[in-house]
Amino acid sequence: MTVYPGAAEYVPDTDDLEAVRAAAGTCHGCDLYRDATQTVFGAGAPHARTVLVGEQPGNDEDLDGHPFVGPAGRLLDRALDDLGVDRAALYLTNAVKHFRFERRGKRRIHQQPRRTEIVACAPWLRTELDLVAPDLVVCLGAIATHAVLGPRAEVTELRGHTVELDDFRVGVTVHPSAVLRAPDRARSYTEFVDDLARVFEMR
Ligand code: URA
Ligand code: SF4
């Protein structure tokens, strides 16, 4: 059995986010790199005041190389539009940088990252947050919330609220994919936008 070292030993000692991104491209910190197409690192404004954290790249992001370009990303774009928030002013990233999936015929079905993979990948997210140095970090869903606030943090309790950490505030809401899957999608969307408005301190 191969023992993977985690991402820490791949993170270069530099303040240059682009150099960090390049290094992440060759990370073998856990086994997810083997089947995925490429590392999907964070993207957006390098000194954004707000960072959004998702779970992991999905099928579209894995092929494209950028976060939130598939269906979940389109729903997120619509929510940001409705709030009048410019996506280009944000920095978007994920707790885990490689797509974890299971093959079913020709399809690749998303699988949640394991706790070990979230922990293995955490040094990349930590480095992004250090270098971007935002005021607000918004966690989209449970995996992001666990990655930023620890495994006991509950989205159902925290959604729509912010928690003060030493370096930034952390806001919590659900994952946009959960809105897409919700039985009452319209209501779930309204609640999602409402959470974002509250963590952005718009209402
Ligand atoms: N879901 C995520 O959590 N992140 C992405 O980048 C795309 C879908
Ligand atoms: Fe490295 Fe994270 Fe990819 Fe694992 S998921 S190989 S830790 S970048």
Side-chain angles (χ1 to χ4, degrees):
M1 199 181 102
T2 316
V3 178
Y4 291 95
E9 69 176 62
Y10 296 90
V11 179
D13 185 15
T14 172
D15 290 345
D16 179 355
L17 189 59
E18 284 313 307
V20 177
R21 172 198 311 282
T26 57
C27 181
H28 294 182
C30 75
D31 66 353
L32 293 185
Y33 79 91
R34 288 185 310 175
D35 295 328
T37 307
Q38 58 191 316
T39 305
V40 179
F41 201 67
H47 297 294
R49 300 331 303 144
T50 301
V51 171
L52 266 52
V53 183
E55 180 188 276
Q56 62 167 333
N59 185 64
D60 294 346
E61 290 79 13
D62 173 74
L63 298 172
D64 179 81
H66 298 93
F68 287 108
V69 297
R74 285 193 290 279
L75 185 123
L76 179 63
D77 284 347
R78 187 179 139 209
L80 294 173
D81 254 15
D82 285 351
L83 290 163
V85 172
D86 179 11
R87 171 165 164 161
L90 308 175
Y91 185 87
L92 272 67
T93 190
N94 287 298
V96 171
K97 307 308 196 232
H98 276 107
F99 180 35
R100 178 162 189 251
F101 60 91
E102 194 181 85
R103 282 188 198 282
R104 251 178 252 156
K106 285 195 180 145
R107 300 212 321 145
R108 304 191 301 169
I109 310 294
H110 160 276
Q111 285 195 297
Q112 269 206 352
R114 301 182 187 94
R115 178 81 200 140
T116 49
E117 291 148 357
I118 300 170
V119 171
C121 209
W124 294 120
L125 178 61
R126 203 153 49 234
T127 304
E128 289 174 293
L129 295 178
D130 277 355
L131 296 183
V132 177
D135 301 320
L136 174 67
V137 175
V138 181
C139 299
L140 304 172
I143 300 292
T145 302
H146 295 160
V148 176
L149 291 177
R152 277 184 289 276
E154 292 280 355
V155 175
T156 45
E157 273 170 33
L158 291 171
R159 66 178 297 182
H161 295 282
T162 52
V163 177
E164 294 280 347
L165 297 188
D166 287 344
D167 295 330
F168 41 71
R169 287 178 295 123
V170 180
V172 175
T173 184
V174 297
H175 195 280
S177 299
V179 177
L180 292 173
R181 283 193 310 265
D184 186 347
R185 201 196 280 195
R187 178 166 146 210
S188 181
Y189 177 76
T190 305
E191 289 170 352
F192 176 59
V193 173
D194 202 52
D195 284 352
L196 288 175
R198 288 167 64 195
V199 302
F200 290 154
E201 297 184 325
M202 293 172 161
R203 61 177 81 130

